[in-house]
Amino acid sequence: MSDFDWPPYVPVAERRRLAERELAKLRKRGQSIAPVTIEGRTIAKTFWGKSWCVNLERYSDYASRVPRGRTYVRNGSVLDLTIARGEVAAMVAGSSLYRIKITIAPVKAACWKAICWDCAGAIDSLVELLQGRLAKGIMDRVCREGDGLFPSPEEIKLSCSCPDGADMCKHVAAALYGVGARLDEKPELLFVLRGVDENELLAGAGHDLVRTKAVPGTAKLLGDSDVAALFGLEMAESAAFDAYASPAPKRHRGSGTSRGNTATVATSASVTKKSKPFPAVRKKFKRKTTSASTAKGGTRRGS
């Protein structure tokens, strides 16, 4: 086909009639059809659909072809579109019925791991993720150009049965916009297309939670004063408490004790005897003992 033998122009109304006729034929053959239907002029309305279309339009490789594709998808020319792992298959009506195949490479393992790592701990609901209702920083990371979830032109291979020799014809562009419209309905298909499991974002969040909280930092450990304040106790000084809690060992009958051990026992006993453990608590006990003895033994002097 020469550069001047372009197919005749087909008006939009005629293309719609042709599309409906072809759809009826396919349904009679028992073929399952999933057409892309656009209401109004807005192709995509949700976060994932809009993000797909923005990613498509940001590359200069596609700048001259995508406008014609928008026209085709709006007028209902995308008769069928299915999304599977690494592949988009479509049928688009033009002057004839054309078959489109778009192959998209899966996300590289290192790239996907980086996305999961950067989002770890910030995604706890797949519903919010698929609805695009997470924090802007998280969604920007997932959609980031170059190392996000959306493919670059180098990761996309295009094929159409039409006679146009361009890498991206208007039928392929219509199918790519149809993907954006389909993501409005089923955003999880983006993860299917890129060959990743969206649940790994949640698994990564749980792993990061365990990793960061398994060993508490020393700054978070409670000291004696913190424990006292927490429970409202009057704590003794650590030296007095140690002396009270570690009484002198008892001497067993019949066992020989060396002079060094005897000196140690004597020293421990003297420390225990001289120390006054829990002074504040002891003061309270003294008051209670006095009142009790007064009640039992009669009257104090001078009463």
Side-chain angles (χ1 to χ4, degrees):
M1 181 177 183
S2 67
D3 292 340
F4 299 100
D5 294 333
W6 297 105
Y9 172 75
V10 180
V12 174
E14 181 63 26
R15 283 204 300 270
R16 284 180 178 171
R17 283 193 294 270
L18 175 63
E20 291 172 0
R21 194 181 309 131
E22 292 296 334
L23 281 175
K25 289 180 182 179
L26 293 171
R27 288 193 180 101
K28 282 183 180 180
R29 295 174 191 167
Q31 185 171 343
S32 178
I33 300 300
V36 176
T37 305
I38 304 297
E39 297 180 1
R41 294 188 57 80
T42 305
I43 296 174
K45 299 178 179 65
T46 68
F47 171 82
W48 291 107
K50 289 178 180 179
S51 299
W52 174 271
C53 294
V54 168
N55 180 74
L56 182 65
E57 294 166 356
R58 69 165 51 131
Y59 297 111
S60 59
D61 309 50
Y62 303 153
S64 61
R65 292 289 179 169
V66 290
R68 297 290 300 278
R70 288 197 294 265
T71 302
Y72 267 62
V73 74
R74 283 190 186 114
N75 62 38
S77 295
V78 182
L79 306 183
D80 184 40
L81 187 139
T82 57
I83 299 174
R85 181 185 174 91
E87 184 179 294
V88 177
M91 287 188 292
V92 179
S95 54
S96 183
L97 184 63
Y98 301 113
R99 296 184 179 274
I100 290 92
K101 182 178 180 181
I102 303 169
T103 305
I104 298 178
V107 176
K108 294 179 180 178
C111 179
W112 177 241
K113 185 177 180 180
I115 293 174
C116 292
W117 179 264
D118 292 342
C119 297
I123 300 175
D124 56 6
S125 169
L126 281 179
V127 174
E128 290 183 341
L129 171 67
L130 296 177
Q131 291 180 353
R133 293 192 288 109
L134 296 177
K136 184 178 183 300
I138 296 299
M139 303 314 296
D140 286 348
R141 176 62 188 93
V142 175
C143 305
R144 193 161 69 190
E145 181 179 359
D147 61 348
L149 202 57
F150 293 112
S152 61
E154 294 78 17
E155 297 174 308
I156 303 175
K157 292 183 179 180
L158 311 171
S159 173
C160 181
S161 62
C162 77
D164 192 342
D167 290 337
M168 178 188 279
C169 63
K170 52 185 175 288
H171 313 108
V172 169
L176 284 171
Y177 274 112
V179 172
R182 189 57 47 84
L183 292 180
D184 271 359
E185 305 167 4
K186 297 181 178 180
E188 62 273 14
L189 288 176
L190 175 62
F191 298 89
V192 174
L193 181 62
R194 297 313 311 275
V196 294
D197 183 3
E198 64 271 25
N199 289 288
E200 292 179 5
L201 288 170
L202 295 183
H207 175 73
D208 183 73
L209 194 64
V210 172
R211 179 179 60 83
T212 54
K213 293 188 178 180
V215 182
T218 53
K220 293 183 179 181
L221 297 177
L222 290 175
D224 290 343
S225 58
D226 297 322
V227 175
L230 180 63
F231 294 102
L233 299 177
E234 294 180 1
M235 303 289 285
E237 295 179 1
S238 58
F241 181 76
D242 291 339
Y244 180 80
S246 306
K250 293 182 179 180
R251 186 176 178 179
H252 297 282
R253 293 181 179 178
S255 62
T257 310
S258 63
R259 291 184 178 179
N261 291 340
T262 307
T264 305
V265 171
T267 305
S268 302
S270 63
V271 170
T272 308
K273 187 175 181 181
K274 291 179 182 179
S275 61
K276 297 180 180 181
F278 301 97
V281 178
R282 187 175 179 180
K283 188 175 181 181
K284 291 180 181 180
F285 286 164
K286 188 174 180 181
R287 290 178 182 175
K288 289 183 179 179
T289 307
T290 304
S291 59
S293 61
T294 304
K296 283 184 179 181
T299 350
R300 294 173 58 188
R301 289 184 180 181
S303 60

